[in-house]
Amino acid sequence: MSSQQSTQTMKPATAAKKLGVYLPATPAEFQEGVVTRAELNELQADPPEWLLELRRSGPHPRPVVAAKLGVSISGLTRGGVTEPLTTDQIEALKDERPEWLEKERAIQAEVRKESVRIKNLKKEKDA
């Protein structure tokens, strides 16, 4: 099974998603090829400079932007953020603290709190 697993290939978009990077910002050879499971594991274990730089500076895909800002992807959309952002742009938003960001962070905090409450209720019910 492990030899079959290492020969499985994925599209560059899938590999970029698994690596948490924005596909159009990756090198052309990455975008145009296919990635094997073994290559993905190697990229994760020993990232090349381009991958380190993308993770450090961006542009970041929306799920990463949302996580760094502490909001949902829907919250980004409601806030008018529809494009990938760089780390500097994310930090600027954090510093500016626009009203939409504060509102979406509060919503996200409530969602997390409710998730914990439901999880605890389920634990009590199961016990």
Side-chain angles (χ1 to χ4, degrees):
M1 179 91 179
S2 63
S3 64
Q4 183 184 15
Q5 188 179 30
S6 64
T7 58
Q8 289 178 333
T9 61
M10 62 191 80
K11 294 177 182 174
T14 303
K17 188 174 185 178
K18 289 179 182 287
L19 293 169
V21 295
Y22 182 56
L23 180 62
T26 62
E29 59 270 13
F30 180 86
Q31 293 179 43
E32 294 162 4
V34 293
V35 180
T36 65
R37 173 65 60 189
E39 289 169 334
L40 179 70
N41 291 342
E42 179 64 27
L43 286 169
Q44 289 172 324
D46 187 20
E49 186 53 41
W50 66 264
L51 181 53
L52 292 172
E53 183 57 30
L54 263 182
R55 286 178 169 169
R56 186 171 34 250
S57 303
H60 303 288
R62 291 168 48 82
V64 173
V65 173
K68 287 179 179 279
L69 289 173
V71 300
S72 66
I73 294 173
S74 299
L76 283 180
T77 303
R78 286 189 293 270
V81 178
T82 57
E83 297 297 316
L85 299 180
T86 64
T87 300
D88 289 345
Q89 290 170 314
I90 292 167
E91 291 306 315
L93 274 174
K94 285 180 178 178
D95 291 343
E96 291 166 15
R97 300 171 67 110
E99 187 178 327
W100 73 265
L101 180 57
E102 294 301 308
K103 180 180 174 190
E104 292 301 333
R105 282 180 164 175
I107 291 169
Q108 196 68 5
E110 286 301 316
V111 168
R112 280 192 216 99
K113 203 185 303 182
E114 182 64 7
S115 294
V116 168
R117 188 185 72 77
I118 291 169
K119 187 177 174 183
N120 288 340
L121 277 176
K122 185 176 176 352
K123 272 186 196 174
E124 288 173 19
K125 191 176 177 184
D126 291 346

